[in-house]
Amino acid sequence: MSSKLTEKIRRIREAETSGRAEFSQLIGIPKKTLENIELTGRAPKGEMLEAICQQWPKYTLWLMTGQTDEGCGQVSPEIERARRELKQTGTGTN
């Protein structure tokens, strides 16, 4: 499970920040810790998961369960990326 979780963290990082340094700063962990988690697949501590969910609450359900509920504002990075692209092209509904 930890490798799936670390992959999800990476996907959030790529969708929301310019890189590991920014992501680490926003959630309050050392960049080296994030690198170790992403590169080794080591399970993140609960404090890190909590910090991610506090910074980006829209990903909480997806991060923890793999599910989304757009009606409740719970999305995945892919859904968020698609929304942004639609908004940029002017074809989005929101």
Side-chain angles (χ1 to χ4, degrees):
M1 177 167 141
S2 62
S3 64
K4 285 184 181 182
L5 197 51
T6 56
E7 174 62 19
K8 288 179 181 179
I9 291 169
R10 183 189 61 76
R11 288 165 57 188
I12 292 170
R13 175 181 60 77
E14 290 175 347
E16 295 294 331
T17 66
S18 61
R20 287 184 180 131
E22 181 185 5
F23 187 89
S24 297
Q25 182 180 21
L26 288 170
I27 64 170
I29 64 160
K31 180 183 168 197
K32 194 71 170 165
T33 300
L34 178 61
E35 286 175 356
N36 288 336
I37 288 170
E38 285 188 354
L39 296 175
T40 66
R42 184 182 60 147
K45 292 185 177 181
E47 292 85 8
M48 180 178 177
L49 296 173
E50 183 178 1
I52 293 168
C53 292
Q54 287 177 346
Q55 183 67 35
W56 298 284
K58 63 187 172 188
Y59 299 129
T60 300
L61 181 64
W62 175 79
L63 179 62
M64 302 308 291
T65 69
Q67 300 175 351
T68 61
D69 186 341
E70 290 184 69
C72 293
Q74 292 293 299
V75 297
S76 68
E78 291 74 23
I79 291 171
E80 187 63 22
R81 191 173 289 122
R83 283 182 179 172
R84 288 178 188 156
E85 289 174 5
L86 288 173
K87 195 177 241 184
Q88 287 176 348
T89 62
T91 57
T93 57
N94 293 344

